[in-house]
Amino acid sequence: MKRYFIHHPVFRILAPAFYGALVYLLVLMINDTVAQINDLFNSQELYLCIGLTYLAFESCRLVIVIQHRFQRDQRTSRLLTTQVVATLILSTGLVMTGLHLYFQYVIGFGMTNEQFATFCSIFAVTAALYNLLYISDYYLHQENTLKLQAEMQHKAILEVEMLEFQHDINPELLYESLESLIGIMYRDVEKAEAYIDSLATGYRYVLTNRHQELIPAEAEIDAARNLILLLNERYFGQLTLDVTEDNDLVDAMLIPGSLPIVVEYIVRNTIVTRFEPLSITCYTEDNYLVLQSKLNDRLIPYADSEVAFTRLQRSYSLYSDLPLIKVKAYQENYIKLPLLRVEETTPLEAL
């Protein structure tokens, strides 16, 4: 409730004072001429109007606080209608009661019908204006809240897209490849040129297909082979990818970049040395593309590859009922990618 300006202490202190003075001047102008205001001005009556305005404002605020505390689940239109009626009745009733007591015990006689009608109409309008201020601030706050939520959602989407772009680009692989390239340049310039071509092919593949939903499995296999070529320079040529191609791969599809992610996941989380090569076997089985390798896990898992693998699992859950499987058994590591197939239907078959 503190977010609305009617609850701000400065507004609660200063607004009734200024408005009460205006009410008193308005009453004088209704009953007398402008030229007589100086002669008829009475500080006691001014303070009375200010006090009555404080009473009207605080009673309206009290109704708003109570209603929004106990009736917040109601529809907004019904809530505001009840609020306007309640504040109008309560504030006007309290003001008229205060005026009656003032006239009865201070002045010594009751109000005339004309005075009653004047004050009643003024403070009824006061309650309406107070509600108008609150309602305008309420809807302004709602609009600002929606805009802030939209901005936060847009920011979250941009952050997710940036994170995905960073993972697609794989900056660590890029830096490692550039470092390897520097070493190759000192040994063999022609080999360095071929390495640059492989690096460009790998990132061209990523950037070209990053907005594609599905891509042929054979293209993914070529990308995985190119990745092995890039990583082999750092792993002393101890990485191999053996693919058993069969007819199941002809019309099979994969999510773009999934096979290179899995291959890198295996390489990053396996101990590879000059004396411990890593051979990855790729074959199809029961509508899965299986990657099998010897189990020789690192002591500390590679964090970035774990994140990429988790993202890949969520992506496959959107496209297939078959899960992305990771199994360790009999000193072997198995990762199974579901093979996706797009079935084309004619309009008659769809009907």
Side-chain angles (χ1 to χ4, degrees), residues 23-33 114 118-119 121-122:
V23 168
Y24 179 63
L25 293 176
L26 180 61
V27 171
L28 291 180
M29 292 177 64
I30 291 174
N31 296 325
D32 303 286
T33 62
E114 182 181 355
T118 300
F119 280 100
S121 59
I122 289 176

Side-chain angles (χ1 to χ4, degrees), residues 283 290-292 325-329 332-336:
Y283 57 92
V290 183
L291 284 87
Q292 179 181 350
I325 301 174
K326 179 173 62 172
V327 179
K328 296 178 182 179
E332 295 288 334
N333 185 28
Y334 299 90
I335 296 180
K336 299 183 178 182

